[in-house]
Amino acid sequence: MKKFIAANFKMHEPDLRAWAKFKPTSGAEVVMFPSFLHIPLFSGRKDTILGAQDVFWENLRSGGAYTGEVSAQMLKNFGVKYALIGHSERRALGDTNEIVGKKLKTALASGLKVILCVGEGEDVRKKGITSAKNFVRAQMKSALFGVKKKFLKDIIVAYEPIWAIGTGRTDKPADAIAMADFIRSLLSVSPTGGPVRVIYGGSVTAKNAKKFISQKGIDGALVGGASLDPKEFAKIISSVK
Ligand code: PEP
């Protein structure tokens, strides 16, 4: 299965001139998550897949009275294939486990694929890896409650320990692999026969990407800060063999 490398621009303006020269050079599946505003500017690229950083939990085909929200259908109209759901920065802004679950089910039922983000905070990890696993299990259980088995193939789980996001402190690759294996064990096997993909996120850069991406148990990376520079992001992609 191809490795999966995603760029999360968060609330940053992409340098469009620099991105015009960007050429991913590996067989990885590369997905870009610009802000909603910048989605049309990345639409139509042949070398990358388009994602959205969030999606609303109602998908009314003809729209609805939800000021400030963007539906799955609207995203699909602009060529979006993936939605990022449950990112810790959205959870910090109020997305509860219940909201994450609603967004996940709506996105999947609307035909989007999903990157479901899970991961523990530093307070939890300090208690040990078992506490971290329990925390992640609860997040997974709540997000996936009621999700039909046929949709498991459309979910990629991003294990992102919160203390590693934007801090320059990565998880130990061995711990990230243990978590990825644990997450796969919770999901068992997708209906297509393949295991659900689990990627790692948290301060991945061109310097350390190989340590994570080259591992058999890690199916790719979700990259925040280091994806803002297309040259750096291209280096991360090229570390996929
Ligand atoms: C992220 O935003 O999901 C992320 C992992 O950020 P960073 O790479 O900057 O830690």
Side-chain angles (χ1 to χ4, degrees):
M1 210 186 293
K2 279 185 181 177
K3 294 274 176 173
F4 184 98
I5 313 287
N8 175 16
F9 292 169
K10 313 190 187 205
M11 197 181 72
H12 292 286
E13 295 254 11
D15 176 346
L16 295 174
R17 277 200 192 180
W19 280 105
K21 294 184 203 142
F22 169 74
K23 283 222 179 339
T25 55
S26 80
E29 199 175 334
V30 180
V31 185
M32 315 294 294
F33 290 88
S35 76
F36 286 140
L37 273 180
H38 295 97
I39 281 173
L41 304 175
F42 282 82
S43 190
R45 284 188 75 116
K46 299 244 178 321
D47 49 5
T48 53
I49 301 165
L50 199 50
Q53 294 177 22
D54 196 15
V55 62
F56 190 47
W57 45 264
E58 280 277 13
N59 189 27
L60 304 167
R61 287 194 149 259
S62 54
Y66 293 102
T67 303
E69 295 294 349
V70 177
S71 73
Q73 188 56 48
M74 290 159 91
L75 294 172
K76 282 173 62 186
N77 292 346
F78 277 87
V80 169
K81 304 280 186 235
Y82 278 90
L84 204 56
I85 295 179
H87 192 283
S88 62
E89 288 156 13
R90 293 243 41 99
R91 291 180 191 262
L93 290 169
D95 277 14
T96 59
N97 276 338
E98 192 197 346
I99 291 173
V100 169
K102 278 163 87 169
K103 287 183 173 178
L104 183 87
K105 281 182 268 298
T106 298
L108 292 169
S110 311
L112 288 174
K113 294 177 192 243
V114 164
I115 298 190
L116 168 65
C117 301
V118 295
E120 79 289 352
E122 186 147 38
D123 52 333
V124 175
R125 177 55 88 92
K126 271 191 176 149
K127 291 182 198 148
I129 196 88
T130 306
S131 300
K133 282 182 179 171
N134 289 339
F135 185 90
V136 166
R137 183 197 285 114
Q139 281 186 323
M140 294 279 298
K141 226 177 145 180
S142 150
L144 293 166
F145 180 75
V147 171
K148 294 191 182 115
K149 249 197 148 186
K150 67 172 183 180
F151 287 128
L152 287 184
K153 66 176 188 342
D154 297 327
I155 300 174
I156 290 177
V157 180
Y159 170 59
E160 298 206 296
I162 298 169
W163 47 271
I165 297 179
T167 58
R169 290 165 54 204
T170 59
D171 201 354
K172 292 193 195 94
D175 286 348
I177 294 168
M179 270 299 200
D181 286 344
F182 173 70
I183 288 166
R184 268 187 289 269
S185 77
L186 297 174
L187 289 166
S188 71
V189 172
S190 75
T192 49
V196 169
R197 283 188 283 181
V198 184
I199 62 176
Y200 167 78
S203 294
V204 171
T205 61
K207 270 198 181 137
N208 63 31
K210 211 168 181 170
K211 282 203 290 189
F212 294 96
I213 298 170
S214 66
Q215 305 287 347
K216 219 173 155 223
I218 298 178
D219 297 307
L222 176 53
V223 186
S227 71
L228 295 175
D229 173 358
K231 284 189 184 150
E232 167 115 12
F233 189 54
K235 276 189 202 157
I236 293 173
I237 295 165
S238 67
S239 66
V240 173
K241 285 285 166 278

